[in-house]
Amino acid sequence: MNPVLALLLEAAVKYAPVLAIELAQTLSKDKVTDADWDALKAKYYGKTYEQYISEAPPCKPA
Amino acid sequence: MNILKHNAGALLAAMLAIATFGGCITAGDNAYKAIASTEATVDAAMKTWDDYVAWKACQAGYDESQWRRQQDDVKLAYTTYRTAMNATYDARASYIADKNAGGTKLSSALEAAKAAASTLGNLVRVYAIK
């Protein structure tokens, strides 16, 4: 398998279920509270690109 | 293989499509749902990008200047998104403080954030899948 594709599929398997659950929980909320807004803002507001890009682990031997 | 490649692209596209959740945007529940959905989708896209960056660092024989440019593009797109989305939180705070002032501002800030999220997602999709 193309290694880039393998990586993307791995990412899809890793993140899509978490995203699906998060979206389902978000969209099914009956009532949004101030605490929900505060939690959302605390999680994302001001988050930088560098905070997403982790230090690369050592490469596995081929 | 092409089917798998198509599916990976389709998955990312679907993730981004979800982020376009809209409806009547006020400072209430719909705004929360639109903002939270967009944030979660961008978060997943950025985690995917992080995995790709780590993977790419272990590859040999690629055009380093092109790779640097791609990373700069994604960084700029994310920063643009973050600035726009931060503005939605600020606009909501203004709206809560003065209901006559912030409604339109919130709606336009959210539209800008969603457009920036779409640009970011497309870059991640194109650079990582192409």
Side-chain angles (χ1 to χ4, degrees):
Chain A
M1 182 185 287
N2 176 332
V4 178
L5 178 60
L7 170 80
L8 285 168
L9 288 174
E10 186 186 318
V13 168
K14 197 155 76 173
Y15 301 123
V18 176
L19 176 61
I21 290 167
E22 199 167 338
L23 289 174
Q25 288 173 340
T26 297
L27 298 177
S28 65
K29 268 186 187 301
D30 287 334
K31 182 75 188 153
V32 177
T33 66
D34 283 345
D36 291 322
W37 279 104
D38 291 344
L40 185 66
K41 188 173 177 180
K43 187 172 179 183
Y44 295 115
Y45 190 96
K47 190 165 184 178
T48 64
Y49 176 86
E50 286 74 15
Q51 285 174 292
Y52 275 109
I53 305 304
S54 50
E55 200 168 307
C59 299
K60 291 176 191 165
Chain B
M1 185 65 73
N2 281 340
I3 292 171
L4 287 175
K5 189 172 181 177
H6 174 74
N7 284 346
L11 177 65
L12 276 173
M15 287 160 63
L16 289 163
I18 290 165
T20 61
F21 173 85
C24 179
I25 302 304
T26 66
D29 292 6
N30 280 349
Y32 173 85
K33 289 176 182 180
I35 291 169
S37 301
T38 306
E39 290 277 39
T41 306
V42 166
D43 190 59
M46 287 304 293
K47 286 173 178 168
T48 301
W49 180 248
D50 175 41
D51 285 352
Y52 185 68
V53 169
W55 176 84
K56 188 85 175 180
C58 296
Q59 307 307 304
Y62 58 86
D63 182 339
E64 198 154 322
S65 65
Q66 184 191 45
W67 172 230
R68 174 59 53 198
R69 199 187 69 242
Q70 289 181 351
Q71 289 180 86
D72 289 346
D73 288 348
V74 173
K75 183 176 181 176
L76 177 62
Y78 175 75
T79 304
T80 302
Y81 164 77
R82 188 74 267 150
T83 301
M85 192 53 102
N86 287 353
T88 66
Y89 293 106
D90 296 339
R92 178 181 178 267
S94 299
Y95 179 80
I96 297 299
D98 178 3
K99 288 198 168 25
N100 295 319
T104 308
K105 206 168 149 189
L106 173 60
S107 187
S108 57
L110 182 53
E111 287 308 311
K114 288 192 322 192
S118 180
T119 301
L120 171 64
N122 282 334
L123 282 178
V124 171
R125 183 173 58 81
V126 168
Y127 288 161
I129 296 176
K130 196 173 175 182

